[in-house]
Amino acid sequence: MPVKTCLVCQGTGCVSAGAGQIHAAIREEITRLDLGENVYVKRTGCHGFCQQGPLVVIEPEGIFYTRVKVADVTDIAQSFLPQGQLVERLFYRAPDSGKPISHHQDIAFYSKQQRTVLKNCGYIDPEEINDYIVVGGYDALRKVLLEMSSEQVISEVKRSGLRGLGGAGFPTGQKWEACRKASLEFREQRTGDREKTHLSSLISHLSPLTSDLSPLTSHLSTFVICNADEGDPGAFQDRSVLEGDPHSVLEGLIIAGYAVGAKQGYIYVRAEYPLAVKRLQIAISQAREKGFLGKNILGKNFDFDIEIFQGAGAFVCGEETALIMSIEGKRGMPKFRPPYPAESGLWGKPTLLNNVKTFANIRWLINRGADWFASRGTEKSKGTAIFSLTGKIANCGLIEVPMGITLREIIFVLGGGIPDGKTFKAVQTGGPSGGCLPSSLLDTPIDFDSLTAAGSMMGSGGMVVLDEDTCMVDMARYFLDFTQKESCGKCVPCRTGTKQMLGILEKITGGLAESNDLIKLQELAEMIQKTALCGLGKTATNPVLTTIKYFYDEYESHIKNKKCPAGVCKALITYEILSDKCNGCHLCFKSCPSEAIKGEPKKAHSIIYEKCIKCGICFTLCKFAAVEISHPDGHCDKFRGSQKLR
Amino acid sequence: MKRIIIDGKQIELENKTTVFEAAKQNGVYIPSLCYYSQLAPHGACRLCIAEIDGMKGFPTTCTTYVEDGMVVRTNTGLLQNLRCQIFELILSQHNKSCTTCAKNLRCELQTIAAYLGVERLTLPFIEKDILVYNDEPFFNRDYNLCILCGRCVRVCNEIRKNNAVDFAFRGIKTIPCTSFSKKLENSNCEFCGACVDICPTGAILEKDFRQSLNPDKVVTTICPYCGVGCSIKLEIKNEKIVRIAPDIDGPANKGQLCVKGRFGIKEFVHHKDRITSPLARQPDGSFKEISWEEALSVIAEKFAKYQGDEIAVISSAKCTNEDDYIIQKFARTVLKTNNIDHCARLCHAPSVAGLAQTLGSGAMTNSISEIADAKTILSIGSNSTATHPVIGLKIKKAVAHGAKLIVINPKKIELCRFAYLSLHHKPGTDVALLNGIAKVIVDENLQDEKFIRERCENYDEYITHLSNISLEDVEKITGVGKELIIKTSRIYATQKPATILYGMGITQHTHGTDNVFVISNLALLTGNIGKPSTGLNPLRGQNNVQGACDMGCLPGVYPGYQKIDDASVREKFEKFYQTNLNPKPGLTLTEMFKEAYVRKVKAMYIVGANPILSAPCLKHSECSLTELEFLVVQDMFLTETAKLAAFVLPSCSFAEKDGTYTNTERRVQLVNKAIKPLGESRSDWLIVCELAKEILKIRRHLSLQKEENPTVSPFYKEGIEGGFDFQNPSGIMDEIAKLTPIYGGISYKRLSEKTLKWPCPDENHPGTDILHREKFTRGKGLFMKVSYKPSTELPDDDYPLILTTERLLYHYHTGSFTRKVDGINKISPEEHLEINPSDAEKLGLSDGDFVKVVSRRGEIRVKLQVSENVLPGVVSMSFHFAESPTNALMNHAVLDPVSKMPELKVCPVALRRTNN
């Protein structure tokens, strides 16, 4: 009987759904059935399809079990017996046909992806360095240290066309080159100083305490930092990489350290990611044991170590200068640039700062070569992009797709389209500061420049799909509410400007706005875009500007007609009980928090409008579609109520 | 050389500077709220945006550095439009209550509103509704008016390094805040007022700002507190000081002050306890106001009776140079005595004596501003952040620039926070410790051989002497680990330039001069002298203690340290003064009290000193003064000393007179009269001149009578009333310049343009920043062999703890000024005895208990403060509080053989619990 591997996902999503117990139960069951020789049960990182978790995958066939519960473990274990049957009820079902699909390679969500950075996520045990080494881990580091000079590494990265995957898409090789240059200059200057003070001549004959003579950080004249401060609501690709394949990030960091001449690396990861922190800690200590970190790595004259710095949850600390301030122990507030961190970063020293995914890409482009890397993607955006696909979409999860794929393909092929038969309205990319793109732009290819040109951005890689039930004004208000709360408060346009904009948006959704307000809103948004200090402020207005651009009619409707076309803005709607549909089940009566529903059991109920707080609980709970959303003036458009699915 | 074009204007620049500064220097106004010249660029207000060819978007000029060929436009329509919108955002969060705001007409928002021509505001007002902090000392904080320019936060963190406030909360709720919103008293705040000065709006304001609106005039003068010599601006309204602001051009302070200078002046100047007319003591002990004529004639008559050494004069380091010069001239020419001394006896007399022996000059060798560029700072026995706060800033700045600070102090002082190494030795063991450091330097061959060979002498004997020292013994004596001593030696000897700063911890010992010698050895050994940012720098305590010494208010020297036992010098002075001078060196301050106690000194004239509290052993000083036949005290207040006088003469404060002070770095600065003297009070020089003339008149009368008698003393031969006919202090300075080579080129005319540092021998000399550059004042630097001697009194079973003394940031000297300031009394109302927790536990005492501190000479009652800052076996007190006069406990009997300094830092005491 061939040996099989049973992969139990231990990403945050699956763990919170009970994957830990499932892993233990499967192990136990396999042992009980005496299959230990034939079945290797393994913990893995995130598979990406978190919506369907907890996931169990049987390799080498690629059998894909979704939403596994502890109760299913016996059946899964039994399936390994010679006469065992696959557990069909756990198969993934296609969103359109409902047909069960047994193998992951047949699921569109996976088959259309081009997993590179995520390749090992879901297949190797993230807490076991040997698992990583088996799949070629640290080969790139070996290659770099044994065969390449720092300059060669940088030129390879430059040639690959890799761009920063934190969102801004700055050419990575260029950044590395600048940092190396600054680092060399810095060291030269320092050596100069030292000669002046005759220090070097003294060092030779002094006893072991001599190290105190050298300035505190002289051996740390350059730093590399991995930015793992993933703050966007809904984005979790950095977390998944750290949880699923931490060594790939470490390897990238070490190579970067070698390339730019740094001896100390930091990983700035949010404390809200405890699992990622834990796995990084394990990975770092294992890498130290194996000699990939520490002194004289791989026997070469190269020292490098990595420290984890846990952030305290400020969104703005994802901004590189704020992140550096935070590591320095100061309040995370962005600084003006230039000077860029590559010249003057942490403690004023040259500092290379890249995103998790950028570092995770390094080993691939070293192993397979810059040409291979550059062969994928578009002309200006090479390689792959990772998105967290969420919102009103059938397949939620993490996807890695080649640059240049269209939005349509992602949403309707990988994503399986909009569920519940609703229509697509817009897609918001790049986190809370991204723009909302309408259906007319669905064929936009995904790359840094096209998205920016359309008014949105690659950003953190969040991709929120919105359907017809979403009010675009409310949606802009929602995101702006987030960004204005997360403003660090330093510069005026961001701090006060976004707040004033939020005020106007609240007026609009509250039905109190006049057409002047819209002009003011747009003016403010443009001014903030032009004058804010950092990326947070400059992009915070994107959701507003794009919704004004692409969904102007919705704004108009709110302002002129005092109507919310999607029926979302509470001030502009009322709830109504249709007496012909209400059978008096009394459920809404019992659930109404403000006692705004009157009526006796088994008789049609009605709403006391003075008391109604428009929480919508009656609408959600009603099993007979008897509660409807309408406009205060009684006129009823084709609203959600009439379309509500049973 | 960089050429740029700003708004069509060609500008050429030498240095690296921002576009904003380039524009400012060339008269192009760009609005900004967060820019401040002394702070790092911040870029928060976004008002200084510009269009720069080749740059994306709208860069802020305050954060953009000039590059050759830049073309900048600062006032296009688009920019002004954006600025208007940004400014409107600022105003939409700023409570527009201008008419009732105390900052009205001084508010920077108004300037910008005028520049932008803002007419109508369209955005709704966002109420902040933040609690106003108005119950803290000195200033109120109303963050409803805050526009978050961040200047207060930045000045507190960047320059003051206190980090008392930082931004808190996010988004629209962001405000400057102390940690956990604690009150300022409970934060790191030191009430330096830098945030008040820098705030562009009314968010941070002095409590009584309203009174200070539209001052009649602003007078620049020098702070009367410590020796730093900060330049301050007195704002005067109706002959009253209403506000004190730092002078941003002040050479020593560059716009910074401390709590005493910023908030501790106007209350004592205008205090109700000021004496405003001469007082005569009545038989019943009370004082009666009398007229000047009466006072002067009675005093003159009395003084005229005493001959030479029967009389002693104590002058003051708080007086101006001119006052002090006149006082010593009075003592020497009229009273014919060299019994003239002042409080330097109790502070830096060992420095003056010690450094004069080893280097030839007893002043700071280098300047304050050089500290910031040092690579190593050795701070010994100086709590600079408390005693010289503005020098403390320079130290912090140096540390921020990568200098290594080594603090040697028995106490864990605030500077330790910034220190690379902190050495806490047992009080009184400095000689052992510093010899140990020197030994390591020599053993490891880190000394500067070339410097020693070329410029020093007595080196070989010194080395032989060092070879007898063992580090193990040093460790045992000082309690400082060997490792630390070795590290210190290596850093000081190799990380150059290295500077030494020291204070009372070194000098106030009976072996104070020895301490100074060993410090001097260290600097000579490593060649850290005569070069920028090096040197031996005694930080002088009083505003004009340097000047008072320079002016010859010392028993052994004439002005400019010209020795009285040098016949040619004496001849020069006799010729100029047209009188015979007493060739016998006089008594030191400490000796005067001893001699008074045995009635050898019969009369005393004390000007601006309060030795009852400052001299050791209160009982002894008090008895000595009561033993006197005649005591005249000249002061602003009825001090503890003045209460014992027969006559008290009212002198006026620094704000009421012209003159000069010489600060600790030898910088002579003009003191300018800001208000009329209060009541009948007069400048000290004027009073002394009048008195001198009065006495001389009597003497002339006497001598006429005695003319027939040839046996009469030749002293009385000449009448020199003309020697005291000065119209103003400027004239006195001219006389000083004539007689004092180091002041030779100093005149009011020159000083009004630029301050000068002595030596300044002639009119064209620019002054001297660094002493001993080419050669030492005495020729060669002298190595001194010094062995450790234990302090006179050591702890025993009866007196098991060592009491040492310190100064507090909030108080000054005997508290005659600071104890009169409400806010200061609120922050620091009473004395505390600091004790290590282990000692407190042994004695069963806890924080807040009252104890009696008993020494062999007296006892005082004080509150206990348990603190890790003192070592076990050591307790510490200040001497600012008359209620618990620490010096009552000190030993007056044994003096430093050279400088006559008593032991003020080591006093064995016992503690006894007492009732609360």
Side-chain angles (χ1 to χ4, degrees), chain B residues 440 471-472 475 480-487:
Chain B
V440 176
L471 273 196
E472 282 69 30
E475 187 170 344
V480 178
K482 219 162 81 175
E483 299 271 283
L484 268 179
I485 297 174
I486 294 173
K487 279 188 187 181

Side-chain angles (χ1 to χ4, degrees), chain A residues 288-355:
Chain A
R288 276 196 198 121
E289 272 169 32
K290 292 263 178 194
F292 296 124
L293 282 177
K295 298 238 178 248
N296 300 327
I297 297 172
L298 297 177
K300 301 289 283 186
N301 184 22
F302 170 57
D303 307 340
F304 191 80
D305 212 339
I306 296 174
E307 200 179 303
I308 299 172
F309 193 98
Q310 295 191 45
F315 178 65
V316 74
C317 285
E319 202 277 344
E320 55 180 13
T321 54
L323 186 153
I324 287 170
M325 293 269 270
S326 176
I327 294 184
E328 287 175 355
K330 299 174 190 152
R331 171 181 164 98
M333 272 175 135
K335 271 205 229 152
F336 54 90
R337 301 174 303 179
Y340 290 93
E343 293 154 18
S344 169
L346 188 61
W347 315 115
K349 311 272 176 64
T351 303
L352 175 75
L353 220 141
N354 276 130
N355 177 263

Side-chain angles (χ1 to χ4, degrees), chain B residues 87 98-99 103-115:
Chain B
F87 189 64
C98 295
T99 45
K103 201 67 177 262
N104 193 16
L105 302 177
R106 289 205 203 194
C107 174
E108 291 181 29
L109 290 182
Q110 292 172 342
T111 321
I112 291 172
Y115 168 77

Side-chain angles (χ1 to χ4, degrees), chain A residues 193 197 199 202 205-216 312-315 330-331 333-339 484-500 504 520 523-524 526-528 530-534 538, chain B residues 40-46 49 55 57-58 60 62-65 78 81-82 85-90 92-93 122-126 147-148 166-174 375 404 420 444-446 483 486-487 490-491 493-497:
Chain A
D193 283 356
T197 53
L199 197 59
L202 285 165
H205 78 275
L206 293 179
S207 51
L209 283 159
T210 314
S211 60
D212 298 318
L213 281 179
S214 55
L216 200 57
F315 178 65
K330 299 174 190 152
R331 171 181 164 98
M333 272 175 135
K335 271 205 229 152
F336 54 90
R337 301 174 303 179
Q484 66 90 16
K485 274 191 190 132
E486 290 294 341
S487 164
C488 78
K490 183 172 176 179
C491 78
V492 179
C494 177
R495 178 184 72 238
T496 318
T498 52
K499 178 75 182 176
Q500 288 287 6
I504 298 177
K520 191 84 212 172
E523 259 181 29
L524 277 172
E526 281 163 8
M527 182 271 288
I528 294 167
K530 286 187 183 114
T531 60
L533 173 69
C534 81
K538 283 192 161 103
Chain B
H42 189 54
C45 77
R46 315 306 288 173
I49 47 173
M55 290 182 84
F58 302 90
T60 40
C62 71
T63 63
T64 308
Y65 284 88
L78 177 58
N81 185 349
L82 288 172
Q85 288 193 52
I86 294 167
F87 189 64
E88 197 183 335
L89 286 176
I90 294 170
S92 78
Q93 244 202 312
T122 55
L123 290 170
F125 175 58
I126 302 172
I147 54 155
L148 283 157
D166 200 342
F167 298 107
F169 312 109
R170 289 180 209 167
I172 199 84
K173 297 211 166 88
T174 312
K375 283 257 168 65
K404 291 206 168 111
Y420 184 74
E444 299 202 354
N445 205 23
L446 300 176
E483 299 271 283
I486 294 173
K487 279 188 187 181
R490 289 177 181 168
I491 293 171
T494 60
Q495 304 272 290
K496 291 175 179 177

Side-chain angles (χ1 to χ4, degrees), chain B residues 450-688:
Chain B
K450 185 166 175 278
F451 182 88
I452 296 168
R453 233 180 13 250
E454 288 171 5
R455 301 198 43 191
C456 306
E457 59 188 2
N458 205 26
Y459 180 55
D460 295 334
E461 288 107 281
Y462 175 63
I463 298 249
T464 323
H465 172 67
L466 280 186
S467 64
N468 300 327
I469 289 165
S470 99
L471 273 196
E472 282 69 30
D473 289 347
V474 173
E475 187 170 344
K476 222 184 286 165
I477 295 168
T478 61
V480 178
K482 219 162 81 175
E483 299 271 283
L484 268 179
I485 297 174
I486 294 173
K487 279 188 187 181
T488 304
S489 316
R490 289 177 181 168
I491 293 171
Y492 177 72
T494 60
Q495 304 272 290
K496 291 175 179 177
T499 182
I500 295 180
L501 308 177
Y502 71 91
M504 300 294 93
I506 284 298
T507 55
Q508 284 187 331
H509 292 284
T510 44
H511 51 269
T513 315
D514 284 355
N515 284 349
V516 173
F517 288 153
V518 280
I519 294 181
S520 162
N521 287 342
L522 273 188
L524 294 176
L525 195 57
T526 54
N528 273 316
I529 193 155
K531 304 172 188 115
S533 301
T534 62
L536 283 168
N537 297 299
L539 304 181
R540 311 298 303 250
Q542 303 253 20
N543 55 338
N544 198 35
V545 65
Q546 184 65 54
C549 294
D550 297 346
M551 289 306 114
C553 289
L554 295 170
V557 290
Y558 295 126
Y561 308 99
Q562 302 174 78
K563 292 206 165 79
I564 61 167
D565 46 17
D566 181 332
S568 63
V569 170
R570 196 169 61 246
E571 201 176 311
K572 172 175 113 180
F573 277 90
E574 284 181 339
K575 207 168 159 197
F576 190 91
Y577 290 155
Q578 295 174 28
T579 185
N580 301 18
L581 293 175
N582 188 338
K584 186 180 146 209
L587 298 169
T588 61
L589 186 139
T590 31
E591 287 165 332
M592 287 175 195
F593 280 87
K594 283 189 176 177
E595 297 291 296
Y597 194 69
V598 295
R599 298 188 187 169
K600 281 194 183 155
V601 167
K602 292 174 183 157
M604 243 197 231
Y605 182 26
I606 300 180
V607 182
N610 189 8
I612 290 271
L613 288 190
S614 58
C617 190
L618 185 143
K619 235 187 265 170
H620 172 75
S621 321
E622 204 170 347
C623 291
S624 306
L625 291 183
T626 42
E627 286 301 324
L628 290 171
E629 290 172 10
F630 186 56
L631 172 63
V632 177
V633 172
Q634 189 166 306
D635 208 305
M636 288 167 58
F637 296 102
L638 205 57
T639 60
E640 291 73 12
T641 307
K643 281 176 189 157
L644 302 175
F647 288 90
V648 184
L649 301 177
S651 52
C652 57
S653 77
F654 81 107
E656 296 145 52
K657 61 184 174 189
D658 288 317
T660 57
Y661 288 153
T662 306
N663 78 351
T664 180
E665 54 174 348
R666 301 169 273 109
R667 187 190 293 278
V668 186
Q669 308 188 91
L670 278 183
V671 175
N672 293 308
K673 181 173 167 179
I675 51 175
K676 281 187 213 135
L678 255 65
E680 295 282 301
S681 68
R682 290 181 185 177
S683 293
D684 292 295
W685 67 269
L686 195 63
I687 302 172
V688 180

Side-chain angles (χ1 to χ4, degrees), chain B residues 720-888:
Chain B
I720 45 156
E721 285 154 76
F724 291 92
D725 264 341
F726 292 102
Q727 293 310 306
N728 51 42
S730 168
I732 303 177
M733 180 51 86
D734 294 341
E735 181 170 317
I736 295 170
K738 272 180 217 149
L739 284 167
T740 317
I742 54 173
Y743 276 69
I746 293 174
S747 67
Y748 276 36
K749 191 164 162 280
R750 284 188 79 185
L751 290 177
S752 64
E753 284 156 20
K754 193 173 163 282
T755 60
L756 290 165
K757 279 183 240 171
W758 67 255
C760 177
D762 59 66
E763 271 164 51
N764 302 314
H765 195 280
T768 309
D769 285 335
I770 301 167
L771 298 181
H772 319 302
R773 261 189 191 267
E774 308 298 328
K775 65 181 191 67
F776 288 101
T777 311
R778 73 178 284 277
K780 290 213 164 189
L782 180 67
F783 279 102
M784 298 293 287
K785 291 188 296 181
V786 183
S787 301
Y788 165 70
K789 290 190 276 296
S791 301
T792 4
E793 274 189 357
L794 290 172
D796 53 22
D797 289 346
D798 295 335
Y799 302 97
L801 297 164
I802 297 180
L803 170 68
T804 190
T805 56
E806 60 167 344
R807 316 284 183 268
L808 304 176
L809 166 67
Y810 293 100
H811 286 289
Y812 190 76
H813 213 244
T814 59
S816 356
F817 293 172
T818 48
R819 294 296 303 283
K820 298 192 167 57
V821 181
D822 283 347
I824 285 178
N825 281 332
K826 199 174 153 193
I827 300 168
S828 174
E830 57 185 342
E831 179 74 277
H832 286 102
L833 176 101
E834 280 189 70
I835 184 166
N836 189 280
S838 65
D839 291 328
E841 204 188 317
K842 254 185 257 163
L843 295 166
L845 296 166
S846 53
D847 208 72
D849 283 354
F850 276 90
V851 289
K852 249 188 230 167
V853 191
V854 192
S855 82
R856 292 190 173 87
R857 287 153 297 274
E859 60 176 52
I860 56 172
R861 181 172 168 276
V862 68
K863 204 178 196 173
L864 207 65
Q865 186 178 358
V866 178
S867 158
E868 296 277 0
N869 291 343
V870 285
L871 300 176
V874 179
V875 293
S876 156
M877 282 173 75
S878 78
F879 75 109
H880 304 304
F881 300 87
E883 302 88 328
S884 38
T886 312
N887 285 333

